[in-house]
Amino acid sequence: MATSPIHLATLQTLEATTDRAFVQELIEAFLEDGREQIAAMRKSLASGDAVTFQRAAHSLKSSSANLGALELSAQAKALELLAKAGNLQAAPEQLEAVAAAFPAVEQSLQEFGHGT
Amino acid sequence: MAHSHSPEAGRLLVVDDNKVNRLLLGRGLEQQGHQVEFAENGQQALDRLRHERFDLVLLDIMMPELDGYQVLEQLTSSPELRDIPVIMTSANDELDSVVRCIEMGAEDFLVKPPNPVLLKARIGASLEKKRLRDQQRALIRRFATPEVAEELLANGFELGGKYVNASAMFSDIRGFTSIAESQSPTDTIELLNTYYTLMFDAINGQGGTVNQMVGDGLMAIFGAPVAHSDHPLRAVRAALEMVELIQLFNQGQSAQGKGPIQIGIGIASGRVIAGFTGTQSRATYTCVGDTVNLAARLEAHTKVLGHPILIDQNTWQGLGGQIPAAEQEPHQLRGKSAAVRVFAVPLPAESPELQGPR
């Protein structure tokens, strides 16, 4: 794998200060919530609900940064800012880019979680 | 509540809609010995805070149902919940929101995910501050009537004074130094404790507040911080009861072969400057001004006149004839050009040994 979508050092530090089981729990929580947040963004985008959209983007930004998914976090932050500025017209394309990036993050995290 | 014995450990509520954040914060706090509970949104948080005891809340800003601002607003406007410290948890790009929360009453903030050292320091400082505040509440409850304490606690500890109409009272034990010298230190402290218990009872019973105790002397205020328009009457009633209680106390003393004590009380009414003095962490309610000085002088004057209760003209007028008082010779005070009128309040059952100085 040429470039990992996750910053390994973040996860390694996390594991060193906690333990493997906790990091595994964290990863599962992130994946579950992340999928929900993307779904929530799609739904709120369709209904023009900028408040919910912003909150979901904010949440994804926060948890992905915690797990070292820095690129995903930056993309989510861009979406949060769009919603904050009330500029949801520009959001669909970027949201789909986030959705497209998610599986690679998921794979990397699961690989890390299973110690491979 | 074992955790309350350790100043470092507390029962904390982590409020965050993001599960990763909850897990991370919870883990960090548990590692530091705290008991951690969770809420996923503002509404859940308020429900738990209203029914359970927490020492500290870590509050996310952006949440569904009720957001951090709304939770903060409800907490700070609730008399039961306003004293629970709140630390905002935020992303590092929303510091402007954090500033707003601090202005609304949040105690501090932490950027997520927090550095463990910083987390420990901030939580420790907040819990310590809460401990001091709780102590202050307990002190206020001890030194004021429940009514006054509630008033103070509800309106907070704003330092700064205002003019109020009130009656100031000074009281002390006549010849206390020679009493103290003639008995053991243990007996003296016991005597003082009994004395203060009796005096507090009489003063609080009339809605007064004891705001100073020095040695065998005390100062009390009637009509502030809770306004009572009949404060002169309340102060004089309290004084009569104080003397009566000392009379009863003396009967007990003589049964034990101990000598009686006598007290002198001075009361003056009028405008005083009242407020909390001190610092944010340690404050006392006090009153200053000419009225207060006059009360202190009248108390000293009881030694001269041999009447246990002396009052000024304003207090006398405030009695409206409901309690009789006899005018004495006008008293020339140091620093005053005109002599002030002085009235003695006779005891219902005059007893020679209670008349004043030995």
Side-chain angles (χ1 to χ4, degrees):
Chain A
M1 194 185 295
T3 54
S4 170
I6 59 166
H7 185 239
L8 264 180
T10 304
L11 283 177
Q12 282 158 351
T13 307
L14 209 51
E15 191 176 285
T17 52
T18 59
D19 57 55
R20 175 148 287 256
F22 179 73
V23 174
Q24 186 59 44
E25 191 185 355
L26 214 52
I27 288 171
E28 278 161 22
F30 165 74
L31 293 176
E32 194 180 313
D33 276 10
R35 282 188 283 263
E36 274 176 26
Q37 282 143 7
I38 289 171
M41 279 189 276
R42 282 184 169 140
K43 200 175 158 199
S44 54
L45 190 59
S47 63
D49 178 358
V51 174
T52 304
F53 187 94
Q54 186 186 344
R55 197 162 55 218
H58 173 85
S59 196
L60 182 63
K61 171 195 75 177
S62 174
S63 49
S64 50
N66 282 332
L67 286 170
L70 303 183
E71 181 60 31
L72 185 66
S73 179
Q75 287 175 295
K77 180 174 175 172
L79 284 173
E80 184 191 355
L81 291 176
L82 281 180
K84 199 175 175 181
N87 185 17
L88 284 184
Q89 299 89 321
E93 200 177 320
Q94 293 189 41
L95 173 56
E96 288 320 306
V98 166
F102 197 79
V105 171
E106 176 168 0
Q107 193 189 345
S108 296
L109 287 174
Q110 273 170 348
E111 280 168 8
F112 181 88
H114 297 122
T116 52
Chain B
M1 289 185 272
H3 57 277
S4 64
H5 295 300
S6 159
E8 299 89 27
R11 185 162 191 265
L12 318 184
L13 182 65
V14 170
V15 189
D16 204 309
D17 61 327
N18 185 307
K19 191 177 179 190
V20 172
N21 285 336
R22 287 199 302 274
L23 287 170
L24 273 171
L25 267 172
R27 175 83 183 200
L29 294 167
E30 275 163 3
Q31 278 178 334
Q32 289 171 11
H34 301 295
Q35 186 192 340
V36 188
E37 301 289 330
F38 299 96
E40 294 178 23
N41 61 52
Q43 191 54 56
Q44 271 186 16
L46 283 176
D47 289 345
R48 293 203 69 164
L49 285 162
R50 286 186 180 123
H51 296 105
E52 300 168 49
R53 202 192 63 81
F54 288 98
D55 296 307
L56 180 75
V57 181
L58 286 103
L59 184 62
D60 183 27
I61 299 176
M62 207 179 273
M63 289 182 297
E65 306 291 332
L66 287 180
D67 66 18
Y69 300 120
Q70 291 165 308
V71 173
L72 204 53
E73 211 167 73
Q74 299 224 18
L75 289 183
T76 51
S77 63
S78 156
E80 293 81 33
L81 302 176
R82 60 187 289 164
D83 287 328
I84 303 176
V86 177
I87 295 183
M88 305 309 298
T89 59
S90 74
N92 59 9
D93 58 359
E94 52 180 349
L95 292 184
D96 51 338
S97 316
V98 165
V99 171
R100 189 176 146 200
C101 291
I102 302 264
E103 282 167 356
M104 286 174 69
E107 180 140 327
D108 206 342
F109 74 99
L110 280 164
V111 170
K112 286 180 284 197
N115 164 301
V117 177
L118 199 58
L119 180 69
K120 186 168 186 182
R122 294 265 168 89
I123 301 282
S126 277
L127 288 175
E128 175 64 10
K129 273 190 245 174
K130 173 164 190 290
R131 201 178 61 77
L132 284 173
R133 276 199 299 264
D134 287 349
Q135 224 171 39
Q136 195 176 44
R137 290 176 78 105
L139 273 175
I140 285 190
R141 293 224 159 87
R142 191 182 309 161
F143 288 111
T145 60
E147 188 189 17
V148 171
E150 283 320 308
E151 168 94 6
L152 299 186
L153 295 170
N155 293 332
F157 295 95
E158 262 179 60
L159 297 176
K162 57 178 181 182
Y163 285 115
V164 290
N165 261 309
S167 294
M169 167 197 280
F170 279 83
S171 160
D172 81 354
I173 302 178
R174 288 286 92 90
F176 185 73
T177 309
S178 58
I179 296 172
E181 278 164 1
S182 69
Q183 60 185 22
S184 75
T186 310
D187 283 348
T188 298
I189 294 301
E190 198 187 301
L191 174 66
L192 276 180
N193 284 338
T194 311
Y195 162 71
Y196 278 126
T197 305
L198 296 174
M199 299 302 97
F200 271 61
D201 195 49
I203 291 165
N204 292 345
Q206 290 296 330
T209 304
V210 175
N211 49 14
Q212 272 184 34
M213 291 189 291
V214 179
D216 60 313
L218 64 82
M219 176 189 165
I221 192 86
F222 295 79
V226 178
H228 293 293
S229 57
D230 58 346
H231 52 85
L233 203 54
R234 286 169 178 265
V236 172
R237 277 190 189 132
L240 286 167
E241 202 181 325
M242 286 158 76
V243 174
E244 192 185 330
L245 285 169
I246 292 296
Q247 202 171 353
L248 291 171
F249 172 71
N250 282 341
Q251 288 171 9
Q253 287 282 100
S254 89
Q256 292 174 45
K258 291 177 182 170
I261 61 170
Q262 286 140 16
I263 59 171
I265 300 169
I267 298 168
S269 303
R271 198 168 76 148
V272 300
I273 300 166
F276 286 99
T277 55
T279 65
Q280 284 296 340
S281 60
R282 206 173 193 92
T284 55
Y285 189 76
T286 194
C287 296
V288 292
D290 277 353
T291 303
V292 177
N293 296 339
L294 180 56
R297 296 277 165 75
L298 289 171
E299 184 263 307
H301 200 48
T302 60
K303 295 171 200 168
V304 180
L305 293 189
H307 284 286
I309 304 171
L310 292 181
I311 63 177
D312 76 332
Q313 185 178 355
N314 284 346
T315 308
W316 174 70
Q317 279 166 349
L319 296 181
Q322 293 191 52
I323 296 174
E327 181 151 21
Q328 311 291 305
E329 283 289 306
H331 181 41
Q332 184 66 47
L333 292 176
R334 268 178 293 144
K336 293 271 176 187
S337 50
V340 299
R341 293 178 72 185
V342 177
F343 299 81
V345 180
L347 306 178
E350 288 280 3
S351 156
E353 78 201 42
L354 290 161
Q355 280 294 315
R358 287 189 259 198

